[in-house]
Amino acid sequence: MRNPLQQQQADRPPPVGPFRSRVVLRVNGRTHVLDLDNRVTLLDALRELLDLTGSKKGCDHGQCGACTVLVDGRRANSCLLLAVTLDESEIITVEGLAAPDGALTPLQRAFLDHDAFQCGYCTPGQLCSAVGVLREAAAGHPSHVTEAATAADTARPVVLSPEEIAERLSGNLCRCGAYNGIADAVAACAAPATPERTPPPTPRRT
């Protein structure tokens, strides 16, 4: 059954004038052709037109991260993106993380194992952001807390220390304060440290 906005979308003639556009969004492996007001955000298009309500509207100002999704493999605040600018983009929401048969990813399982949520409102954004964190670190992308010597070597993965995880997830707020569980879940899924990037042991004093 269509909601009022979906019915309005279905009844609308092809876009005319300077304020509407036809946009192709590829969301979780499915292609959607939408005739949109140019002012519609990606978050509203996902929630109101495609019934993908996993991405949450928190602050609606790009400050809490509850609406985080992956756009062409990179995490982004969907409340800040105009859908019209994303024609032909590949978008993954929290609904698209699990396998088609519903099997959870190791990261989703780790969130359960480490009790990385309380009310759960921020969890979809935290999960999508964590996917981006793991990919960025594996690709050698430095953060603001990555040591200079390590940041200069972008050919190797960055070790996700607690400081790295906190910095890289700092755009996602948890109002319940489940940060420890979230960080533990991300750490559990991080690539193991390579010997070259493992801090040297502290010499024993004799």
Side-chain angles (χ1 to χ4, degrees):
M1 184 176 180
R2 292 169 171 164
N3 64 38
L5 282 177
Q6 289 174 322
Q7 189 61 50
Q8 185 182 31
Q9 181 79 12
D11 296 339
R12 183 171 291 130
V16 294
F19 306 115
R20 302 194 64 81
S21 299
R22 178 159 292 174
V23 182
V24 176
L25 299 180
R26 307 189 194 287
V27 185
N28 300 333
R30 295 185 60 186
T31 299
H32 302 272
V33 181
L34 302 173
D35 295 329
L36 296 177
D37 186 305
N38 294 344
R39 297 165 293 183
V40 171
T41 65
L42 174 59
L43 177 60
D44 285 340
L46 292 172
R47 290 180 57 84
E48 305 299 336
L49 300 176
L50 303 182
D51 271 345
L52 294 171
T53 56
S55 304
K56 297 297 187 289
K57 181 174 285 193
C59 66
D60 210 20
H61 286 79
Q63 297 178 350
C64 75
C67 65
T68 303
V69 298
L70 298 166
V71 178
D72 292 332
R74 303 185 66 176
R75 51 193 172 135
N77 292 322
S78 60
C79 73
L80 295 183
L81 297 175
L82 295 177
V84 71
T85 68
L86 302 172
D87 193 35
E88 302 286 353
S89 292
E90 296 284 347
I91 297 159
I92 301 294
T93 70
V94 69
E95 292 93 340
L97 294 181
D101 64 356
L104 299 181
T105 65
L107 180 63
Q108 290 172 304
R109 177 56 58 189
F111 265 63
L112 291 173
D113 293 342
H114 292 275
D115 198 17
F117 52 87
Q118 289 185 28
C119 82
Y121 193 84
C122 73
T123 305
Q126 299 276 10
L127 278 166
C128 287
S129 190
V131 170
V133 166
L134 294 171
R135 289 179 179 173
E136 292 159 15
H141 297 174
S143 77
H144 289 297
V145 300
T146 305
E147 292 183 4
T150 302
D153 183 3
T154 57
R156 297 180 182 178
V158 176
V159 175
L160 284 176
S161 65
E163 292 76 17
E164 285 282 357
I165 293 172
E167 166 63 19
R168 291 170 187 266
L169 283 174
S170 61
N172 291 77
L173 304 182
C174 171
R175 292 157 179 82
C176 303
Y179 292 118
N180 290 340
I182 294 168
D184 289 345
V186 174
C189 295
T194 59
E196 293 81 358
R197 288 203 165 176
T198 303
T202 302
R204 290 185 178 179
R205 294 183 177 179
T206 55

